[in-house]
Amino acid sequence: ETGVTQTPRHLVMGMTNKKSLKCEQHLGHNAMYWYKQSAKKPLELMFVYSLEERVENNSVPSRFSPECPNSSHLFLHLHTLQPEDSALYLCASSQDTPGGSETQYFGPGTRLLVL
Amino acid sequence: GNSVTQMEGPVTLSEEAFLTINCTYTATGYPSLFWYVQYPGEGLQLLLKATKADDKGSNKGFEATYRKETTSFHLEKGSVQVSDSAVYFCALSDRPGRRALTFGSGTRLQVQP
């Protein structure tokens, strides 16, 4: 595997379910991100992890819970979601340096439908 | 705050036509600028980038020049192909240490044979 991979690619869940999205990067990067892409809206940054520590959380509801066990893996745990949470969830990674972050590389996304 | 404004789509062109997708931005300092492309059913791929004023990013026949005086980063291609049909996103990263990208809303390009 190369680049950034995400599983599952498609997910349908009820509002009472609990599920997790998985992201893995094979680029040796030290920062990982979750974005939400909804129809007709710009991409929204949800979470940023750098060196496995969460450094940004853009006021995301608590029904989304991220986990970064190491620099190569990132999870997004989902519980009691709402239909408006249906979207494409994109994972990205980059290499953080003292001068800033380099280019972000994206995975293919997980298409989530909440019924 | 930071913002990126792109022309609304869809942009529909015939094969071999010239493409321009406009992008303007608002940011503090000296941002890095990016174009990402999203093909149907896929995630975003970096198309090109420029990190300082007057830099030109280029890739796969696409070009964009970082214009600080007009705060623009317009995407151009001299001759589009059907395979270029996708959604194109302009984005910026505004300063060292800032990890988030600010994206435009995307422009859908449809190229007809």
Side-chain angles (χ1 to χ4, degrees), chain A residues 9 33 35 37 41-43 45 48 50 55-56 88 90 96 98-109, chain B residues 4 32 34 36 38 41-46 49 87 89 93 95-106:
Chain A
R9 294 293 307 275
Y33 311 74
Y35 286 86
Q37 185 179 27
K41 292 173 70 174
L43 271 77
L45 178 68
V48 181
S50 180
V55 295
E56 286 193 42
L88 181 67
L90 292 165
D96 267 5
S101 288
E102 299 296 324
T103 303
Q104 291 182 26
Y105 293 86
F106 285 79
Chain B
V4 176
S32 295
F34 305 83
Y36 282 85
Q38 186 176 33
E42 298 184 15
L44 275 68
Q45 300 176 25
L46 177 67
K49 69 176 183 179
V87 181
F89 293 90
S93 175
R95 63 183 183 273
R98 171 71 173 159
R99 296 175 176 87
L101 289 173
T102 301
F103 282 89
S105 55

mmCIF file of all heavy atoms in Angstrom, chain A residues 9 33 35 37 41-43 45 48 50 55-56 88 90 96 98-109, chain B residues 4 32 34 36 38 41-46 49 87 89 93 95-106:
data_model
loop_
_atom_site.group_PDB
_atom_site.id
_atom_site.type_symbol
_atom_site.label_atom_id
_atom_site.label_comp_id
_atom_site.label_asym_id
_atom_site.label_seq_id
_atom_site.Cartn_x
_atom_site.Cartn_y
_atom_site.Cartn_z
ATOM 1 N N ARG A 9 -14.700 2.333 2.567
ATOM 2 C CA ARG A 9 -14.922 3.375 1.572
ATOM 3 C C ARG A 9 -16.360 3.880 1.617
ATOM 4 O O ARG A 9 -16.624 5.042 1.289
ATOM 5 C CB ARG A 9 -14.621 2.837 0.167
ATOM 6 C CG ARG A 9 -13.143 2.492 -0.060
ATOM 7 C CD ARG A 9 -12.262 3.733 -0.035
ATOM 8 N NE ARG A 9 -12.732 4.765 -0.939
ATOM 9 C CZ ARG A 9 -12.429 4.824 -2.223
ATOM 10 N NH1 ARG A 9 -11.638 3.907 -2.757
ATOM 11 N NH2 ARG A 9 -12.905 5.798 -2.973
ATOM 12 N N TYR A 33 -4.879 14.396 9.715
ATOM 13 C CA TYR A 33 -6.025 15.301 9.750
ATOM 14 C C TYR A 33 -7.308 14.544 9.384
ATOM 15 O O TYR A 33 -7.274 13.620 8.564
ATOM 16 C CB TYR A 33 -5.864 16.415 8.695
ATOM 17 C CG TYR A 33 -4.536 17.116 8.681
ATOM 18 C CD1 TYR A 33 -3.399 16.492 8.174
ATOM 19 C CD2 TYR A 33 -4.411 18.420 9.151
ATOM 20 C CE1 TYR A 33 -2.173 17.144 8.154
ATOM 21 C CE2 TYR A 33 -3.198 19.077 9.125
ATOM 22 C CZ TYR A 33 -2.086 18.427 8.626
ATOM 23 O OH TYR A 33 -0.872 19.081 8.599
ATOM 24 N N TYR A 35 -11.017 15.700 7.729
ATOM 25 C CA TYR A 35 -11.835 16.730 7.106
ATOM 26 C C TYR A 35 -13.221 16.159 6.819
ATOM 27 O O TYR A 35 -13.369 14.974 6.543
ATOM 28 C CB TYR A 35 -11.248 17.185 5.762
ATOM 29 C CG TYR A 35 -10.022 18.045 5.839
ATOM 30 C CD1 TYR A 35 -8.755 17.480 5.926
ATOM 31 C CD2 TYR A 35 -10.121 19.441 5.786
ATOM 32 C CE1 TYR A 35 -7.615 18.275 5.966
ATOM 33 C CE2 TYR A 35 -8.992 20.237 5.832
ATOM 34 C CZ TYR A 35 -7.748 19.646 5.915
ATOM 35 O OH TYR A 35 -6.622 20.445 5.947
ATOM 36 N N GLN A 37 -16.382 16.682 4.112
ATOM 37 C CA GLN A 37 -16.791 17.301 2.850
ATOM 38 C C GLN A 37 -18.279 17.046 2.644
ATOM 39 O O GLN A 37 -18.699 15.927 2.369
ATOM 40 C CB GLN A 37 -15.990 16.738 1.674
ATOM 41 C CG GLN A 37 -16.296 17.450 0.364
ATOM 42 C CD GLN A 37 -15.490 16.908 -0.796
ATOM 43 O OE1 GLN A 37 -15.076 15.754 -0.809
ATOM 44 N NE2 GLN A 37 -15.248 17.752 -1.793
ATOM 45 N N LYS A 41 -20.533 22.672 0.188
ATOM 46 C CA LYS A 41 -19.821 23.416 1.230
ATOM 47 C C LYS A 41 -18.332 23.179 1.074
ATOM 48 O O LYS A 41 -17.916 22.101 0.639
ATOM 49 C CB LYS A 41 -20.271 22.951 2.627
ATOM 50 C CG LYS A 41 -21.694 23.315 2.958
ATOM 51 C CD LYS A 41 -22.130 22.689 4.275
ATOM 52 C CE LYS A 41 -21.440 23.303 5.453
ATOM 53 N NZ LYS A 41 -21.979 22.782 6.739
ATOM 54 N N PRO A 42 -17.515 24.157 1.468
ATOM 55 C CA PRO A 42 -16.063 23.920 1.437
ATOM 56 C C PRO A 42 -15.675 22.830 2.428
ATOM 57 O O PRO A 42 -16.398 22.575 3.396
ATOM 58 C CB PRO A 42 -15.469 25.264 1.863
ATOM 59 C CG PRO A 42 -16.560 26.257 1.654
ATOM 60 C CD PRO A 42 -17.836 25.522 1.862
ATOM 61 N N LEU A 43 -14.530 22.240 2.177
ATOM 62 C CA LEU A 43 -14.023 21.247 3.125
ATOM 63 C C LEU A 43 -13.848 21.886 4.492
ATOM 64 O O LEU A 43 -13.344 23.012 4.625
ATOM 65 C CB LEU A 43 -12.664 20.711 2.670
ATOM 66 C CG LEU A 43 -12.683 19.507 1.756
ATOM 67 C CD1 LEU A 43 -13.038 19.934 0.355
ATOM 68 C CD2 LEU A 43 -11.343 18.800 1.784
ATOM 69 N N LEU A 45 -12.138 21.438 8.229
ATOM 70 C CA LEU A 45 -11.187 20.728 9.069
ATOM 71 C C LEU A 45 -11.856 20.347 10.373
ATOM 72 O O LEU A 45 -12.491 21.178 11.023
ATOM 73 C CB LEU A 45 -9.974 21.615 9.351
ATOM 74 C CG LEU A 45 -8.914 21.019 10.254
ATOM 75 C CD1 LEU A 45 -8.214 19.859 9.572
ATOM 76 C CD2 LEU A 45 -7.909 22.088 10.664
ATOM 77 N N VAL A 48 -6.786 17.827 13.980
ATOM 78 C CA VAL A 48 -5.399 17.727 13.560
ATOM 79 C C VAL A 48 -4.614 17.050 14.669
ATOM 80 O O VAL A 48 -4.753 17.415 15.839
ATOM 81 C CB VAL A 48 -4.773 19.117 13.306
ATOM 82 C CG1 VAL A 48 -3.327 18.966 12.856
ATOM 83 C CG2 VAL A 48 -5.579 19.895 12.295
ATOM 84 N N SER A 50 -0.572 16.132 15.569
ATOM 85 C CA SER A 50 0.833 16.271 15.220
ATOM 86 C C SER A 50 1.639 15.522 16.251
ATOM 87 O O SER A 50 1.476 15.762 17.449
ATOM 88 C CB SER A 50 1.235 17.743 15.197
ATOM 89 O OG SER A 50 2.599 17.876 14.859
ATOM 90 N N VAL A 55 -3.786 18.761 18.227
ATOM 91 C CA VAL A 55 -3.384 20.160 18.322
ATOM 92 C C VAL A 55 -4.485 21.106 17.881
ATOM 93 O O VAL A 55 -4.438 22.287 18.147
ATOM 94 C CB VAL A 55 -2.101 20.433 17.512
ATOM 95 C CG1 VAL A 55 -0.947 19.680 18.113
ATOM 96 C CG2 VAL A 55 -2.263 20.049 16.052
ATOM 97 N N GLU A 56 -5.475 20.625 17.158
ATOM 98 C CA GLU A 56 -6.597 21.466 16.768
ATOM 99 C C GLU A 56 -7.872 20.651 16.797
ATOM 100 O O GLU A 56 -7.894 19.501 16.406
ATOM 101 C CB GLU A 56 -6.413 22.042 15.351
ATOM 102 C CG GLU A 56 -5.401 23.139 15.274
ATOM 103 C CD GLU A 56 -5.464 23.898 13.966
ATOM 104 O OE1 GLU A 56 -6.571 24.185 13.496
ATOM 105 O OE2 GLU A 56 -4.399 24.206 13.420
ATOM 106 N N LEU A 88 -18.731 13.025 3.031
ATOM 107 C CA LEU A 88 -17.481 12.322 2.718
ATOM 108 C C LEU A 88 -16.453 12.762 3.750
ATOM 109 O O LEU A 88 -16.205 13.956 3.921
ATOM 110 C CB LEU A 88 -17.011 12.680 1.308
ATOM 111 C CG LEU A 88 -15.725 11.998 0.832
ATOM 112 C CD1 LEU A 88 -15.949 10.496 0.654
ATOM 113 C CD2 LEU A 88 -15.238 12.620 -0.473
ATOM 114 N N LEU A 90 -12.688 12.788 4.861
ATOM 115 C CA LEU A 90 -11.369 12.665 4.243
ATOM 116 C C LEU A 90 -10.281 12.723 5.302
ATOM 117 O O LEU A 90 -10.313 13.569 6.203
ATOM 118 C CB LEU A 90 -11.145 13.787 3.233
ATOM 119 C CG LEU A 90 -12.009 13.721 1.981
ATOM 120 C CD1 LEU A 90 -11.979 15.050 1.254
ATOM 121 C CD2 LEU A 90 -11.526 12.622 1.059
ATOM 122 N N ASP A 96 5.182 17.743 9.414
ATOM 123 C CA ASP A 96 5.380 18.984 10.165
ATOM 124 C C ASP A 96 6.867 19.236 10.352
ATOM 125 O O ASP A 96 7.615 18.328 10.703
ATOM 126 C CB ASP A 96 4.721 18.883 11.535
ATOM 127 C CG ASP A 96 3.309 19.414 11.544
ATOM 128 O OD1 ASP A 96 2.814 19.777 10.473
ATOM 129 O OD2 ASP A 96 2.722 19.475 12.627
ATOM 130 N N PRO A 98 9.771 22.536 11.822
ATOM 131 C CA PRO A 98 9.771 23.766 12.623
ATOM 132 C C PRO A 98 9.283 24.980 11.841
ATOM 133 O O PRO A 98 8.742 25.924 12.405
ATOM 134 C CB PRO A 98 11.244 23.909 13.026
ATOM 135 C CG PRO A 98 11.777 22.525 13.007
ATOM 136 C CD PRO A 98 11.060 21.833 11.873
ATOM 137 N N GLY A 99 9.424 24.941 10.540
ATOM 138 C CA GLY A 99 8.994 26.070 9.720
ATOM 139 C C GLY A 99 7.555 26.019 9.313
ATOM 140 O O GLY A 99 7.041 26.942 8.676
ATOM 141 N N GLY A 100 6.859 24.922 9.665
ATOM 142 C CA GLY A 100 5.458 24.794 9.270
ATOM 143 C C GLY A 100 5.170 23.434 8.700
ATOM 144 O O GLY A 100 5.999 22.534 8.758
ATOM 145 N N SER A 101 3.975 23.298 8.157
ATOM 146 C CA SER A 101 3.580 22.017 7.585
ATOM 147 C C SER A 101 3.835 22.009 6.093
ATOM 148 O O SER A 101 3.644 23.012 5.418
ATOM 149 C CB SER A 101 2.098 21.771 7.819
ATOM 150 O OG SER A 101 1.837 21.475 9.158
ATOM 151 N N GLU A 102 4.244 20.883 5.609
ATOM 152 C CA GLU A 102 4.389 20.702 4.181
ATOM 153 C C GLU A 102 3.046 20.309 3.567
ATOM 154 O O GLU A 102 2.013 20.299 4.230
ATOM 155 C CB GLU A 102 5.453 19.637 3.906
ATOM 156 C CG GLU A 102 6.840 19.985 4.437
ATOM 157 C CD GLU A 102 7.409 21.217 3.756
ATOM 158 O OE1 GLU A 102 7.167 21.392 2.557
ATOM 159 O OE2 GLU A 102 8.090 22.012 4.422
ATOM 160 N N THR A 103 3.076 19.974 2.318
ATOM 161 C CA THR A 103 1.862 19.641 1.573
ATOM 162 C C THR A 103 1.087 18.503 2.235
ATOM 163 O O THR A 103 1.677 17.535 2.711
ATOM 164 C CB THR A 103 2.251 19.229 0.147
ATOM 165 O OG1 THR A 103 2.986 20.294 -0.431
ATOM 166 C CG2 THR A 103 1.022 18.906 -0.679
ATOM 167 N N GLN A 104 -0.227 18.634 2.238
ATOM 168 C CA GLN A 104 -1.073 17.568 2.754
ATOM 169 C C GLN A 104 -1.458 16.604 1.638
ATOM 170 O O GLN A 104 -1.792 17.030 0.525
ATOM 171 C CB GLN A 104 -2.330 18.165 3.385
ATOM 172 C CG GLN A 104 -2.033 18.937 4.660
ATOM 173 C CD GLN A 104 -3.256 19.493 5.324
ATOM 174 O OE1 GLN A 104 -4.363 18.981 5.176
ATOM 175 N NE2 GLN A 104 -3.078 20.561 6.088
ATOM 176 N N TYR A 105 -1.429 15.319 1.956
ATOM 177 C CA TYR A 105 -1.801 14.258 1.023
ATOM 178 C C TYR A 105 -3.051 13.574 1.558
ATOM 179 O O TYR A 105 -3.107 13.194 2.722
ATOM 180 C CB TYR A 105 -0.658 13.262 0.849
ATOM 181 C CG TYR A 105 0.531 13.881 0.165
ATOM 182 C CD1 TYR A 105 1.494 14.557 0.901
ATOM 183 C CD2 TYR A 105 0.669 13.829 -1.218
ATOM 184 C CE1 TYR A 105 2.568 15.157 0.269
ATOM 185 C CE2 TYR A 105 1.748 14.420 -1.859
ATOM 186 C CZ TYR A 105 2.691 15.088 -1.101
ATOM 187 O OH TYR A 105 3.757 15.693 -1.729
ATOM 188 N N PHE A 106 -4.029 13.413 0.674
ATOM 189 C CA PHE A 106 -5.348 12.945 1.081
ATOM 190 C C PHE A 106 -5.585 11.482 0.714
ATOM 191 O O PHE A 106 -5.080 10.984 -0.298
ATOM 192 C CB PHE A 106 -6.439 13.793 0.409
ATOM 193 C CG PHE A 106 -6.588 15.160 1.012
ATOM 194 C CD1 PHE A 106 -5.707 16.174 0.692
ATOM 195 C CD2 PHE A 106 -7.611 15.425 1.913
ATOM 196 C CE1 PHE A 106 -5.835 17.438 1.259
ATOM 197 C CE2 PHE A 106 -7.750 16.683 2.474
ATOM 198 C CZ PHE A 106 -6.861 17.686 2.148
ATOM 199 N N GLY A 107 -6.403 10.841 1.536
ATOM 200 C CA GLY A 107 -6.927 9.526 1.203
ATOM 201 C C GLY A 107 -8.161 9.645 0.332
ATOM 202 O O GLY A 107 -8.623 10.749 0.041
ATOM 203 N N PRO A 108 -8.718 8.497 -0.073
ATOM 204 C CA PRO A 108 -9.876 8.505 -0.979
ATOM 205 C C PRO A 108 -11.185 8.854 -0.297
ATOM 206 O O PRO A 108 -12.175 9.145 -0.972
ATOM 207 C CB PRO A 108 -9.918 7.074 -1.509
ATOM 208 C CG PRO A 108 -9.293 6.272 -0.423
ATOM 209 C CD PRO A 108 -8.247 7.144 0.183
ATOM 210 N N GLY A 109 -11.206 8.831 1.032
ATOM 211 C CA GLY A 109 -12.420 9.209 1.744
ATOM 212 C C GLY A 109 -13.311 8.032 2.090
ATOM 213 O O GLY A 109 -13.243 6.958 1.475
ATOM 214 N N VAL B 4 -10.918 31.733 0.719
ATOM 215 C CA VAL B 4 -10.580 31.447 -0.670
ATOM 216 C C VAL B 4 -11.867 31.484 -1.473
ATOM 217 O O VAL B 4 -12.850 30.834 -1.093
ATOM 218 C CB VAL B 4 -9.913 30.066 -0.806
ATOM 219 C CG1 VAL B 4 -9.656 29.743 -2.272
ATOM 220 C CG2 VAL B 4 -8.608 30.019 -0.013
ATOM 221 N N SER B 32 1.072 29.960 1.453
ATOM 222 C CA SER B 32 1.325 29.026 0.368
ATOM 223 C C SER B 32 -0.005 28.724 -0.294
ATOM 224 O O SER B 32 -1.043 28.657 0.372
ATOM 225 C CB SER B 32 1.949 27.733 0.898
ATOM 226 O OG SER B 32 3.231 27.987 1.437
ATOM 227 N N PHE B 34 -2.337 26.364 -3.174
ATOM 228 C CA PHE B 34 -2.425 25.009 -3.713
ATOM 229 C C PHE B 34 -3.645 24.890 -4.637
ATOM 230 O O PHE B 34 -4.657 25.559 -4.443
ATOM 231 C CB PHE B 34 -2.616 23.982 -2.582
ATOM 232 C CG PHE B 34 -1.584 24.036 -1.502
ATOM 233 C CD1 PHE B 34 -1.679 24.940 -0.461
ATOM 234 C CD2 PHE B 34 -0.521 23.153 -1.511
ATOM 235 C CE1 PHE B 34 -0.726 24.988 0.551
ATOM 236 C CE2 PHE B 34 0.438 23.178 -0.508
ATOM 237 C CZ PHE B 34 0.333 24.097 0.526
ATOM 238 N N TYR B 36 -5.896 21.531 -5.665
ATOM 239 C CA TYR B 36 -6.157 20.102 -5.536
ATOM 240 C C TYR B 36 -7.235 19.724 -6.544
ATOM 241 O O TYR B 36 -8.100 20.525 -6.890
ATOM 242 C CB TYR B 36 -6.656 19.760 -4.129
ATOM 243 C CG TYR B 36 -5.584 19.698 -3.070
ATOM 244 C CD1 TYR B 36 -5.166 20.846 -2.407
ATOM 245 C CD2 TYR B 36 -5.002 18.484 -2.723
ATOM 246 C CE1 TYR B 36 -4.184 20.782 -1.428
ATOM 247 C CE2 TYR B 36 -4.023 18.408 -1.739
ATOM 248 C CZ TYR B 36 -3.626 19.558 -1.095
ATOM 249 O OH TYR B 36 -2.656 19.480 -0.127
ATOM 250 N N GLN B 38 -10.177 16.610 -7.485
ATOM 251 C CA GLN B 38 -10.924 15.450 -6.985
ATOM 252 C C GLN B 38 -11.669 14.815 -8.143
ATOM 253 O O GLN B 38 -12.633 15.388 -8.664
ATOM 254 C CB GLN B 38 -11.890 15.878 -5.881
ATOM 255 C CG GLN B 38 -12.598 14.715 -5.215
ATOM 256 C CD GLN B 38 -13.471 15.166 -4.052
ATOM 257 O OE1 GLN B 38 -14.034 16.261 -4.064
ATOM 258 N NE2 GLN B 38 -13.583 14.339 -3.030
ATOM 259 N N GLY B 41 -15.588 9.974 -7.220
ATOM 260 C CA GLY B 41 -15.455 8.826 -6.329
ATOM 261 C C GLY B 41 -14.113 8.721 -5.616
ATOM 262 O O GLY B 41 -13.844 7.713 -4.955
ATOM 263 N N GLU B 42 -13.291 9.746 -5.735
ATOM 264 C CA GLU B 42 -11.955 9.681 -5.129
ATOM 265 C C GLU B 42 -11.729 10.828 -4.150
ATOM 266 O O GLU B 42 -12.527 11.756 -4.056
ATOM 267 C CB GLU B 42 -10.883 9.710 -6.217
ATOM 268 C CG GLU B 42 -10.967 8.527 -7.173
ATOM 269 C CD GLU B 42 -9.836 8.534 -8.179
ATOM 270 O OE1 GLU B 42 -8.852 9.267 -7.981
ATOM 271 O OE2 GLU B 42 -9.943 7.791 -9.175
ATOM 272 N N GLY B 43 -10.610 10.749 -3.420
ATOM 273 C CA GLY B 43 -10.221 11.840 -2.536
ATOM 274 C C GLY B 43 -9.500 12.928 -3.301
ATOM 275 O O GLY B 43 -9.437 12.913 -4.532
ATOM 276 N N LEU B 44 -8.944 13.877 -2.581
ATOM 277 C CA LEU B 44 -8.258 15.004 -3.214
ATOM 278 C C LEU B 44 -6.812 14.640 -3.534
ATOM 279 O O LEU B 44 -6.126 14.003 -2.735
ATOM 280 C CB LEU B 44 -8.255 16.221 -2.280
ATOM 281 C CG LEU B 44 -9.477 17.121 -2.317
ATOM 282 C CD1 LEU B 44 -10.691 16.412 -1.772
ATOM 283 C CD2 LEU B 44 -9.207 18.407 -1.546
ATOM 284 N N GLN B 45 -6.358 15.083 -4.697
ATOM 285 C CA GLN B 45 -4.963 14.905 -5.082
ATOM 286 C C GLN B 45 -4.341 16.267 -5.288
ATOM 287 O O GLN B 45 -4.956 17.141 -5.894
ATOM 288 C CB GLN B 45 -4.859 14.120 -6.398
ATOM 289 C CG GLN B 45 -5.460 12.737 -6.376
ATOM 290 C CD GLN B 45 -5.392 12.084 -7.748
ATOM 291 O OE1 GLN B 45 -4.540 12.424 -8.568
ATOM 292 N NE2 GLN B 45 -6.291 11.150 -7.999
ATOM 293 N N LEU B 46 -3.131 16.439 -4.799
ATOM 294 C CA LEU B 46 -2.428 17.690 -5.048
ATOM 295 C C LEU B 46 -2.120 17.806 -6.528
ATOM 296 O O LEU B 46 -1.532 16.899 -7.121
ATOM 297 C CB LEU B 46 -1.132 17.737 -4.240
ATOM 298 C CG LEU B 46 -0.275 18.977 -4.466
ATOM 299 C CD1 LEU B 46 -0.987 20.212 -3.936
ATOM 300 C CD2 LEU B 46 1.086 18.821 -3.807
ATOM 301 N N LYS B 49 1.384 23.568 -6.600
ATOM 302 C CA LYS B 49 1.446 24.516 -5.496
ATOM 303 C C LYS B 49 2.472 25.590 -5.791
ATOM 304 O O LYS B 49 3.330 25.437 -6.680
ATOM 305 C CB LYS B 49 1.801 23.796 -4.195
ATOM 306 C CG LYS B 49 3.213 23.259 -4.140
ATOM 307 C CD LYS B 49 3.497 22.637 -2.771
ATOM 308 C CE LYS B 49 4.946 22.169 -2.677
ATOM 309 N NZ LYS B 49 5.250 21.571 -1.343
ATOM 310 N N VAL B 87 -13.487 17.903 -10.000
ATOM 311 C CA VAL B 87 -13.710 19.118 -9.210
ATOM 312 C C VAL B 87 -12.343 19.644 -8.775
ATOM 313 O O VAL B 87 -11.510 18.880 -8.276
ATOM 314 C CB VAL B 87 -14.592 18.840 -7.981
ATOM 315 C CG1 VAL B 87 -14.826 20.137 -7.202
ATOM 316 C CG2 VAL B 87 -15.926 18.240 -8.411
ATOM 317 N N PHE B 89 -10.120 22.336 -6.475
ATOM 318 C CA PHE B 89 -10.171 23.117 -5.246
ATOM 319 C C PHE B 89 -8.909 23.966 -5.116
ATOM 320 O O PHE B 89 -7.786 23.446 -5.200
ATOM 321 C CB PHE B 89 -10.241 22.206 -4.012
ATOM 322 C CG PHE B 89 -11.513 21.434 -3.890
ATOM 323 C CD1 PHE B 89 -11.631 20.169 -4.471
ATOM 324 C CD2 PHE B 89 -12.601 21.947 -3.201
ATOM 325 C CE1 PHE B 89 -12.803 19.442 -4.359
ATOM 326 C CE2 PHE B 89 -13.781 21.228 -3.085
ATOM 327 C CZ PHE B 89 -13.875 19.982 -3.667
ATOM 328 N N SER B 93 -2.465 27.826 2.816
ATOM 329 C CA SER B 93 -1.930 27.577 4.145
ATOM 330 C C SER B 93 -1.230 28.856 4.552
ATOM 331 O O SER B 93 -0.292 29.289 3.877
ATOM 332 C CB SER B 93 -0.942 26.413 4.103
ATOM 333 O OG SER B 93 -0.324 26.242 5.353
ATOM 334 N N ARG B 95 0.467 30.455 7.249
ATOM 335 C CA ARG B 95 1.718 30.858 7.870
ATOM 336 C C ARG B 95 2.395 29.645 8.457
ATOM 337 O O ARG B 95 1.752 28.655 8.755
ATOM 338 C CB ARG B 95 1.471 31.904 8.953
ATOM 339 C CG ARG B 95 0.626 31.433 10.118
ATOM 340 C CD ARG B 95 0.381 32.557 11.117
ATOM 341 N NE ARG B 95 -0.370 32.106 12.259
ATOM 342 C CZ ARG B 95 -1.683 32.073 12.335
ATOM 343 N NH1 ARG B 95 -2.410 32.464 11.299
ATOM 344 N NH2 ARG B 95 -2.285 31.650 13.421
ATOM 345 N N PRO B 96 3.693 29.743 8.658
ATOM 346 C CA PRO B 96 4.397 28.614 9.256
ATOM 347 C C PRO B 96 3.794 28.235 10.586
ATOM 348 O O PRO B 96 3.465 29.088 11.413
ATOM 349 C CB PRO B 96 5.823 29.154 9.442
ATOM 350 C CG PRO B 96 5.963 30.181 8.398
ATOM 351 C CD PRO B 96 4.605 30.814 8.268
ATOM 352 N N GLY B 97 3.640 26.978 10.803
ATOM 353 C CA GLY B 97 3.057 26.491 12.039
ATOM 354 C C GLY B 97 1.566 26.340 11.965
ATOM 355 O O GLY B 97 0.970 25.674 12.797
ATOM 356 N N ARG B 98 0.933 26.943 10.990
ATOM 357 C CA ARG B 98 -0.507 26.803 10.836
ATOM 358 C C ARG B 98 -0.758 25.549 10.032
ATOM 359 O O ARG B 98 -0.334 25.453 8.887
ATOM 360 C CB ARG B 98 -1.064 28.023 10.118
ATOM 361 C CG ARG B 98 -2.513 27.940 9.700
ATOM 362 C CD ARG B 98 -3.459 28.010 10.856
ATOM 363 N NE ARG B 98 -4.849 28.083 10.412
ATOM 364 C CZ ARG B 98 -5.876 27.755 11.163
ATOM 365 N NH1 ARG B 98 -5.687 27.344 12.382
ATOM 366 N NH2 ARG B 98 -7.096 27.859 10.685
ATOM 367 N N ARG B 99 -1.458 24.617 10.616
ATOM 368 C CA ARG B 99 -1.532 23.321 9.977
ATOM 369 C C ARG B 99 -2.745 23.150 9.084
ATOM 370 O O ARG B 99 -2.803 22.232 8.295
ATOM 371 C CB ARG B 99 -1.517 22.219 11.027
ATOM 372 C CG ARG B 99 -0.221 22.190 11.810
ATOM 373 C CD ARG B 99 -0.258 21.180 12.916
ATOM 374 N NE ARG B 99 1.014 21.097 13.598
ATOM 375 C CZ ARG B 99 1.366 21.873 14.603
ATOM 376 N NH1 ARG B 99 0.549 22.804 15.025
ATOM 377 N NH2 ARG B 99 2.546 21.738 15.184
ATOM 378 N N ALA B 100 -3.726 23.998 9.247
ATOM 379 C CA ALA B 100 -4.960 23.789 8.502
ATOM 380 C C ALA B 100 -4.870 24.442 7.130
ATOM 381 O O ALA B 100 -4.273 25.498 6.959
ATOM 382 C CB ALA B 100 -6.138 24.369 9.262
ATOM 383 N N LEU B 101 -5.479 23.805 6.168
ATOM 384 C CA LEU B 101 -5.680 24.402 4.861
ATOM 385 C C LEU B 101 -7.053 25.057 4.838
ATOM 386 O O LEU B 101 -8.012 24.500 5.363
ATOM 387 C CB LEU B 101 -5.627 23.340 3.771
ATOM 388 C CG LEU B 101 -4.264 22.714 3.471
ATOM 389 C CD1 LEU B 101 -4.420 21.560 2.502
ATOM 390 C CD2 LEU B 101 -3.334 23.758 2.895
ATOM 391 N N THR B 102 -7.147 26.224 4.224
ATOM 392 C CA THR B 102 -8.433 26.851 3.960
ATOM 393 C C THR B 102 -8.769 26.599 2.501
ATOM 394 O O THR B 102 -7.987 26.956 1.613
ATOM 395 C CB THR B 102 -8.380 28.364 4.234
ATOM 396 O OG1 THR B 102 -8.021 28.577 5.600
ATOM 397 C CG2 THR B 102 -9.731 29.008 3.958
ATOM 398 N N PHE B 103 -9.911 25.980 2.263
ATOM 399 C CA PHE B 103 -10.293 25.585 0.907
ATOM 400 C C PHE B 103 -11.357 26.509 0.337
ATOM 401 O O PHE B 103 -12.208 27.037 1.070
ATOM 402 C CB PHE B 103 -10.873 24.170 0.916
ATOM 403 C CG PHE B 103 -9.855 23.078 1.013
ATOM 404 C CD1 PHE B 103 -9.432 22.611 2.242
ATOM 405 C CD2 PHE B 103 -9.318 22.521 -0.131
ATOM 406 C CE1 PHE B 103 -8.489 21.599 2.337
ATOM 407 C CE2 PHE B 103 -8.379 21.508 -0.059
ATOM 408 C CZ PHE B 103 -7.960 21.046 1.183
ATOM 409 N N GLY B 104 -11.338 26.656 -0.972
ATOM 410 C CA GLY B 104 -12.475 27.222 -1.675
ATOM 411 C C GLY B 104 -13.549 26.159 -1.798
ATOM 412 O O GLY B 104 -13.369 25.005 -1.412
ATOM 413 N N SER B 105 -14.671 26.550 -2.361
ATOM 414 C CA SER B 105 -15.824 25.649 -2.433
ATOM 415 C C SER B 105 -15.751 24.657 -3.578
ATOM 416 O O SER B 105 -16.594 23.771 -3.687
ATOM 417 C CB SER B 105 -17.114 26.472 -2.543
ATOM 418 O OG SER B 105 -17.020 27.344 -3.646
ATOM 419 N N GLY B 106 -14.740 24.788 -4.424
ATOM 420 C CA GLY B 106 -14.578 23.835 -5.518
ATOM 421 C C GLY B 106 -15.268 24.282 -6.790
ATOM 422 O O GLY B 106 -16.320 24.930 -6.750
#
